[in-house]
């Protein structure tokens, strides 16, 4: 069975600090997809990234970066120079070949001014 | 504004009842996804449709059903409602690269 673990329930940082959100997954499939989503206090869901299992290249998008390591089954998300607007709950998710998707429990990030 | 609309925004109903949630995807998007977010279960993927056909199925109860119509809007039908079905239901549509979420329908079952 697939499983996604976000061990950090809550993280609090001060603005401009870098912060890494951890995501560890379990799967027996060789083909799968990993996702990150953001849910700000307003409640909407925002898609951040999708990465397939054959693409281990790290991704950078502005202040956001993602580190995918198959060797450790991790897909970590780093926010550089955090801002108050980054405060949200962040979800990691895994989708296997049968296309079912499982979410982690989420990490609540609070960025203080 | 993501371009995805969901109606209604809020819904209050009683146990045993049936409700229909509606989702209109972004113009041109063929895929529609449904998700449930509750305090007990967290975020769960329910089902995906692509151009009218069921594409993937997640943790969707037998009391729930969905469909995507020729105009690509989708409906999620929830029947024999239980207290535990109280949740936020999100719909999303996608192009090849990105998912776009609607604002959600908050369902309260009393």
């Amino acid at each position: 069975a697939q499983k996604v673990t976000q061990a950090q329930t809550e993280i609090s940082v001060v603005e401009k600090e870098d912060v890494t959100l951890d995501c560890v997954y379990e799967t027996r499939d060789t083909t799968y997809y990993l996702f990150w989503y953001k849910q700000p206090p307003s409640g909407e869901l925002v898609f951040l990234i999708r990465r397939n299992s054959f693409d281990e290249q790290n991704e950078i998008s502005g202040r956001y970066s993602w580190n995918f390591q198959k060797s450790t089954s991790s897909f970590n998300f780093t926010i550089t120079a955090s801002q108050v607007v980054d405060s949200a709950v962040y979800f990691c998710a895994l989708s296997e070949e049968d296309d079912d998707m499982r979410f982690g429990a989420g990490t609540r990030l609070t960025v203080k001014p | 504004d993501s371009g995805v609309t969901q109606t209604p925004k809020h819904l209050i109903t009683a146990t045993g009842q049936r409700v229909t949630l509606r989702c209109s995807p972004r113009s041109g998007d063929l895929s529609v996804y449904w998700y449930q977010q509750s305090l007990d279960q967290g975020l769960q993927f329910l089902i995906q449709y692509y151009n009218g056909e069921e594409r993937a199925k997640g943790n969707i109860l037998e009391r729930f059903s969905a469909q995507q119509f020729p105009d690509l809007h989708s409906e999620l039908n929830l029947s024999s409602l239980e207290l535990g079905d109280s949740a936020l239901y999100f719909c999303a549509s996608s192009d090849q690269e990105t998912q776009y979420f609607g604002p959600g329908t908050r369902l309260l079952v009393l």
Side-chain angles (χ1 to χ4, degrees):
Chain A
Q2 52 177 308
K3 183 178 175 183
V4 178
T5 301
Q6 295 180 257
Q8 305 150 307
T9 306
E10 294 191 28
I11 300 176
S12 181
V13 299
V14 177
E15 209 170 19
K16 297 184 184 176
E17 285 185 21
D18 298 348
V19 58
T20 296
L21 310 183
D22 297 333
C23 174
V24 175
Y25 62 92
E26 296 177 29
T27 179
R28 294 180 180 178
D29 284 6
T30 54
T31 303
Y32 51 90
Y33 293 88
L34 296 163
F35 302 78
W36 276 95
Y37 298 89
K38 174 182 179 179
Q39 189 171 39
S42 51
E44 75 270 23
L45 274 172
V46 179
F47 167 89
L48 295 178
I49 191 171
R50 182 183 77 166
R51 173 66 70 215
N52 75 58
S53 53
F54 297 106
D55 183 1
E56 285 193 76
Q57 199 169 21
N58 289 336
E59 174 92 9
I60 298 175
S61 176
R63 296 184 297 106
Y64 293 173
S65 62
W66 290 270
N67 180 252
F68 175 29
Q69 290 196 335
K70 284 173 94 167
S71 60
T72 55
S73 297
S74 64
F75 187 45
N76 296 338
F77 172 34
T78 297
I79 302 175
T80 303
S82 59
Q83 300 176 2
V84 172
V85 293
D86 296 326
S87 296
V89 180
Y90 291 87
F91 294 94
C92 179
L94 166 70
S95 175
E96 291 181 320
E97 285 185 279
D98 65 359
D99 291 321
D100 189 8
M101 175 186 276
R102 297 296 175 96
F103 287 85
T107 296
R108 182 178 300 277
L109 173 65
T110 301
V111 182
K112 299 179 180 177
Chain B
D1 183 1
S2 67
V4 178
T5 60
Q6 288 187 248
T7 56
K9 287 186 178 179
H10 304 275
L11 197 49
I12 302 175
T13 188
T15 54
Q17 295 299 304
R18 172 189 169 95
V19 297
T20 297
L21 312 183
R22 183 188 169 103
C23 169
S24 293
R26 283 187 343 142
S27 177
D29 287 353
L30 301 179
S31 281
V32 170
Y33 307 75
W34 285 98
Y35 301 86
Q36 178 197 59
Q37 186 175 30
S38 65
L39 288 175
D40 290 343
Q41 306 280 353
L43 254 178
Q44 294 193 98
F45 165 69
L46 296 179
I47 198 163
Q48 179 201 354
Y49 281 85
Y50 181 84
N51 202 20
E53 300 290 326
E54 183 183 301
R55 181 79 175 266
K57 208 167 189 176
N59 198 25
I60 187 167
L61 300 173
E62 285 190 12
R63 299 184 287 108
F64 296 1
S65 65
Q67 54 184 327
Q68 187 179 27
F69 294 86
D71 67 352
L72 300 178
H73 91 272
S74 178
E75 294 181 356
L76 178 66
N77 300 296
L78 315 176
S79 61
S80 303
L81 285 166
E82 302 176 358
L83 296 178
D85 298 328
S86 295
L88 194 50
Y89 291 84
F90 288 104
C91 159
S93 69
S94 72
D95 55 24
Q96 298 296 329
E97 294 297 324
T98 303
Q99 274 183 312
Y100 303 89
F101 283 86
T105 293
R106 186 171 294 280
L107 173 67
L108 179 59
V109 182
L110 301 175

